[in-house]
Amino acid sequence: MQKIYSSAEDALEGLLFDGMTIAAGGFGLCGIPERLIDAIQASGVKDLTIASNNAGIDNEGLGKLLRTKQVSKMISSYVGENKEFERQFLAGELEVEFTPQGTLAERLRAGGAGIPGFYTKTGVGTQVAEGKEVKSFDGEDYILERGIRADVSVVKGWKADESGNLVFRKTARNFNQPAATSGKVCVAEVEEIVPVGSLDPDSIHLPSIYVKRMILGAPYDKKIEFRTVRQREAA
Amino acid sequence: MATAVETKGWTRDQMAARAAKELRDGYYVNLGIGIPTLVANNIPEGMTVTLQSENGMLGIGPFPYEDQVDPDLINAGKQTISELPSSSYFDSAASFAMIRGGHIDLTVLGAMEVSEKGDIANWMIPGKMIKGMGGAMDLVAGVKKIIVVMEHNAKSGDPKFIPQCTLPLTGKNVVDMIITDLAVFHRPDHDSPFKLIELAPGVTAEEVRGKTTANYVE
């Protein structure tokens, strides 16, 4: 079975439809599947529900899909740094399901692990708990949160072997791993594809079973939201 | 005297330094954005404190040198950082398993309001600010000790340590300690009231009382 596709458009062929749910990896602009987001934008698919920690910034990452109004609902924990998002939300054009970051990560993980719901302390006594079942365990209250099973997940990896085993790099792993497992089909873009046997089996972050299709997305021009540095002390 | 007025209370750095006094050797700690981040500059010498970043890292190093900036290596505030020889990386689900599971010893967070019952509000102003809660709700639900560092009063002069929060909550009955530019309040457990335990230089208990609407023990 050939998992490697020649372009992001080809890799998404037949997977996209209006009203679908997409889980996307990335944290801020770190580790975002930018080639696949561009291809989703170009496809014109609309009325999307997107589960992603952030919504990109104004014209980067998922911000691109907001700009073209292809998104009807975001499931996110933090959407700052995005004026167009704010405008659409305040104008009632965009629905947002604010989900605590850890709850979102676990909802994706659980959905991908065949767990339809789980109880968590996070959000008890807050707006997040509204309309959710509350259950007491050992004298403490927990709320029921649902797993997320996405139609498609789009993720960014560092290296893949030809069979689809994936390795992430540093903090670019973030939501890519749980998002990958949450999708009925996961499409990955990576910086490098290496022959089978070149990755240490003990060091695989995402086993190949989750990756159904992939593309080589390089070369990347990775964006930094806040460049913070220190100065070398004079010798 | 004018000079005495100017030196009254703690600066942002001094508030962070005060929070750093709560660190203990071997602690795993998560620091929020803003003043809490400054706590990292005040870790006592000889003490091993490991900083967690909720986007998937243990062992946050200092800001990188210009030629070592790496877009794949950022903290939860999306700032570029560096790694340490002891660092490790993991995914977001594992990161919050650590947080929710009670493995993190201490977190320091900013807040817009804290109530006398230990409720905290720091994620939303209805109709105005819609950034979202990020990881704050998970942190206050799961971390063993919650310290809030905030200005004692808002820019308008309104107290921020109040009887009951008016903004949407981040967590209910979760705060253990409040450090402001004027004073420190602490409670030993979540059934006890907060107690004023320390005053910033030049600040009197009477002044704190006048600038606070929350009930607390002196």
Side-chain angles (χ1 to χ4, degrees):
Chain A
M1 167 152 182
Q2 177 57 262
K3 291 184 176 179
I4 303 170
Y5 287 69
S6 58
S7 70
E9 289 72 21
D10 286 349
L12 290 168
E13 177 70 38
L15 298 180
L16 303 177
F17 58 93
D18 291 351
M20 71 187 299
T21 297
I22 297 177
F27 181 93
L29 298 179
C30 181
I32 56 170
E34 50 186 293
R35 302 279 174 266
L36 293 163
I37 291 169
D38 284 347
I40 292 168
Q41 184 188 29
S43 79
V45 67
K46 58 183 192 299
D47 196 20
L48 300 172
T49 293
I50 299 189
S52 168
N53 188 53
N54 312 97
I57 59 175
D58 275 324
N59 206 21
E60 293 291 345
L62 293 170
K64 293 181 180 177
L65 300 183
L66 290 169
R67 208 183 169 91
T68 50
K69 302 196 176 160
Q70 288 168 272
V71 184
S72 57
K73 180 178 175 181
M74 289 294 308
I75 305 174
S76 302
S77 85
Y78 187 84
V79 296
E81 282 91 56
N82 194 325
K83 289 265 182 300
E84 177 60 14
F85 183 103
E86 198 163 352
R87 192 199 64 71
Q88 288 184 22
F89 177 74
L90 292 174
E93 296 166 17
L94 177 68
E95 188 187 342
V96 183
E97 184 179 332
F98 277 112
T99 304
Q101 193 173 146
T103 296
L104 178 58
E106 188 63 13
R107 288 181 67 189
L108 292 165
R109 194 202 68 82
I115 296 172
F118 58 92
Y119 291 97
T120 177
K121 273 192 291 191
T122 302
V124 170
T126 75
Q127 272 184 12
V128 164
E130 283 170 17
K132 289 173 187 163
E133 183 197 328
V134 179
K135 189 164 174 162
S136 177
F137 294 89
D138 305 321
E140 259 198 275
D141 284 347
Y142 294 77
I143 55 174
L144 178 65
E145 292 281 3
R146 297 294 309 272
I148 295 173
R149 195 83 173 106
D151 295 304
V152 167
S153 48
V154 289
V155 303
K156 158 83 193 299
W158 178 37
K159 283 185 189 178
D161 70 15
E162 293 155 332
S163 74
N165 286 311
L166 233 71
V167 178
F168 300 102
R169 187 169 175 275
K170 302 185 188 281
T171 57
R173 190 181 324 183
N174 57 58
F175 274 83
N176 282 298
Q177 190 152 340
T181 64
S182 138
K184 289 174 193 155
V185 179
C186 170
V187 185
E189 58 179 86
V190 296
E191 296 177 37
E192 190 181 353
I193 298 176
V194 298
V196 167
S198 349
L199 298 176
D200 174 4
D202 264 336
S203 303
I204 303 296
H205 296 142
L206 184 71
S208 67
I209 191 168
Y210 295 107
V211 179
K212 299 288 189 261
R213 303 181 181 189
M214 60 182 172
I215 58 158
L216 181 65
Y220 284 95
D221 173 25
K222 297 177 190 172
K223 303 288 190 297
I224 292 172
E225 277 183 72
F226 303 108
R227 175 183 287 266
T228 43
V229 296
R230 67 184 145 139
Q231 302 304 320
R232 279 203 170 77
E233 281 162 40
Chain B
M1 284 190 302
T3 47
V5 172
E6 276 164 22
T7 55
K8 204 167 79 170
W10 282 314
T11 63
R12 287 162 57 91
D13 274 315
Q14 288 167 329
M15 289 159 73
R18 177 59 190 83
K21 285 190 183 170
E22 302 303 315
L23 299 171
R24 300 290 177 269
D25 194 35
Y27 263 20
Y28 285 82
V29 174
N30 184 296
L31 300 176
I33 294 163
I35 303 175
T37 306
L38 303 173
V39 174
N41 305 331
N42 291 280
I43 297 170
E45 200 140 332
M47 191 182 278
T48 305
V49 170
T50 305
L51 300 178
Q52 200 246 18
S53 193
E54 62 259 34
N55 53 322
M57 182 188 199
L58 273 175
I60 305 177
F63 290 146
Y65 295 117
E66 184 65 50
D67 55 3
Q68 289 171 348
V69 167
D70 184 341
D72 287 341
L73 183 44
I74 62 169
N75 64 18
K78 287 125 187 168
Q79 296 172 310
T80 48
I81 50 171
S82 66
E83 64 185 16
L84 302 170
S86 58
S87 298
S88 60
Y89 299 108
F90 34 85
D91 70 87
S92 298
S95 178
F96 282 92
M98 235 171 249
I99 290 169
R100 202 188 302 104
H103 305 280
I104 306 281
D105 298 291
L106 174 74
T107 186
V108 185
L109 298 168
M112 299 188 278
E113 294 177 344
V114 177
S115 82
E116 62 188 40
K117 301 279 189 207
D119 301 346
I120 172 174
N122 72 352
W123 75 279
M124 185 190 198
I125 303 172
K128 273 191 187 165
M129 188 197 86
I130 52 143
K131 289 173 189 283
M133 70 288 281
M137 283 195 184
D138 306 280
L139 286 163
V140 299
V143 174
K144 289 181 196 153
K145 184 171 181 177
I146 316 292
I147 299 180
V148 166
V149 176
M150 65 179 186
E151 302 293 336
H152 199 87
N153 298 85
K155 286 195 184 82
S156 61
D158 290 342
K160 297 174 72 172
F161 181 31
I162 53 185
Q164 199 159 13
C165 292
T166 63
L167 297 170
L169 295 184
T170 307
K172 203 170 170 58
N173 191 16
V174 293
V175 177
D176 298 291
M177 181 179 263
I178 307 163
I179 299 170
T180 76
D181 51 323
L182 302 182
V184 181
F185 303 89
H186 174 255
R187 56 177 185 164
D189 57 68
H190 291 184
D191 298 318
S192 304
F194 281 96
K195 186 170 193 241
L196 175 67
I197 60 163
E198 205 172 317
L199 292 163
V203 177
T204 65
E206 192 180 12
E207 182 185 352
V208 171
R209 219 177 299 130
K211 290 181 170 173
T212 312
T213 52
N215 291 294
Y216 57 88
V217 181
E218 282 187 35

